[in-house]
Amino acid sequence: MLHPWGLSEVRHFARSPSRHRFLHGLAVLLPLLVLGLSLFLVWQGWISLRVDSIGGDASQNLRSAMNLWQHGVYGESLNPVEAGYRREPLPNWILAAHLKWLVRAPVGLPYADLVADPDLLTRTMQVNLVYLLALFLSLWGLCVRLIRPGWLAHLVAVVVIYFSDNAFAADQLTTLNTELPAALMMTLTALAFVLLRQRHHSGWAILAGLVFGGLVLTKASGSYLALVLLPLIPFLLNHSRRRSLALGLCVALGFALAVLPWVARNLIEFGKPAIARGGADVLMIRSVYNQMTPHEFRGAFYFFAPERLQKDFFEPYLGFSETQRECGGSLERLSRSLPCDERAFAEGREGDVKSFYQIGKRVLPAQIRAQTVMSGIKTPGDVVQQGVALDRIRAAPLKHVLVSLPLSWQALWTFRNQMTWFGVIANGLAMTSLLAMPALGVMWRKPEWVLISIVPVGYFLFYGLFSHFIPRYSEPLIPLSLVCLSLLLLEVIRRVGAPLADRYARGGGR
């Protein structure tokens, strides 16, 4: 039997006042459970937050925010303070407001003094608690809009929020990198698109465009995706062709209102219609990875796999070993940091550097800068570097596409806890569900599935093609990957469970 009660007892409960009281109790308790868990996780993050230092990318964000707060100039340069666009602006606009109104640091405080004071630095990082709570609430809202009945949506939200915190968000509270705000903006974009499909109002369409624009101002790679995604939006809306087209234009209008003023600012001040300036560095590193040999291509799947997979599968069954990843090993060039490379840099032997990453990050840019100075070229260095990187990629386009496979494999494994098989399996299932969701949404005629996944999948494909795709780049996709996994599991249960329930009912419980 599938139920401890008989079928008649189940039918009686379904019609009885007890059922209504039970459902009413769930309707009250489950939202309180979701809200309570969200607040508890934020409180836990607040009491454990302690920061003593700051990383490189985070320091650029902090300097940009401090310059905006103290001098009204957006840019990371300190001496002298100059306008710039090295980092995406939206998180740093928010950080500048946080520094001014909530941290209440002394006016004119030097950057060095702020980062040297653990108390001030910790208070600065508390901006992440706002992102954290907003992320949890947006995930909750997305579950409520996508899942029926309501009590099930609340239960799924509890699971998604808990694992989003455990696998990703809790680790982001001590940094000013943009992965946490990007995860929030990506989730809000998915929620805005779902609301647009369900409500068909021009106001929601403009709001969806504004939110998508906010995501692009947080992770600039989305500006390229917008050229493809914005024309697709009308086809995913459940309305007449004319109405859907009008709503799609409203989405584009909202996107333009968010993004174009910043692009215009950079065009006027720097002569480039861009959002941020870091693309040349990443593209150069990516071009160097195209030098992989066939052995390195196969070994990259071992090198970039989670440790559990390396130890329990690749090494015992496929013949790989840890020594291959060290200096002198056959996979040494896949490493980001080798002791022998550091010695080569210290001794001025840049030609002996092995690491693909270090060659693309330090060796080739230094050579390009030197050649540019010697030749007297007036073109900005990042423009020259980007041109060189693109030329290297165009020289072997097929190999470039093939190398995207192991790099994307690397970015697939982005959950924080992968020391256990549970963590590895959960990571693999969630990210695979996300990547499959657009195709499944089309196949099963579920446009909402396409709407929530098309943006993160677009980012994934873009990073796979045009970056070295370290796992950090795909971290903002984790919360939505958990939503996608939940939706897929519920659909599988529905498709398998409904026939079983019908068979049970027809058989009278036998």
Side-chain angles (χ1 to χ4, degrees), residues 365-382 384-385 388:
Q367 293 175 356
I368 291 170
R369 285 194 298 270
Q371 293 172 0
T372 302
V373 171
M374 290 180 60
S375 61
I377 297 175
K378 301 297 184 181
T379 306
D382 60 323
V384 175
Q385 182 174 311
V388 172

Side-chain angles (χ1 to χ4, degrees), residues 34 37 139-140 143 147 152-162:
V34 181
L37 174 65
L139 286 170
W140 185 12
C143 290
I147 299 172
L152 183 59
H154 298 316
L155 286 178
V156 170
V158 167
V159 176
V160 168
I161 288 170
Y162 174 79

Side-chain angles (χ1 to χ4, degrees), residues 37 72 77-78 92 145 157 171 202 281 291-292 352 454 470:
L37 174 65
S77 175
L78 290 178
N92 297 329
R145 301 308 307 184
D171 219 28
S202 58
D281 296 334
Q291 298 174 355
M292 281 187 193
D352 294 334
I454 191 170
I470 56 177

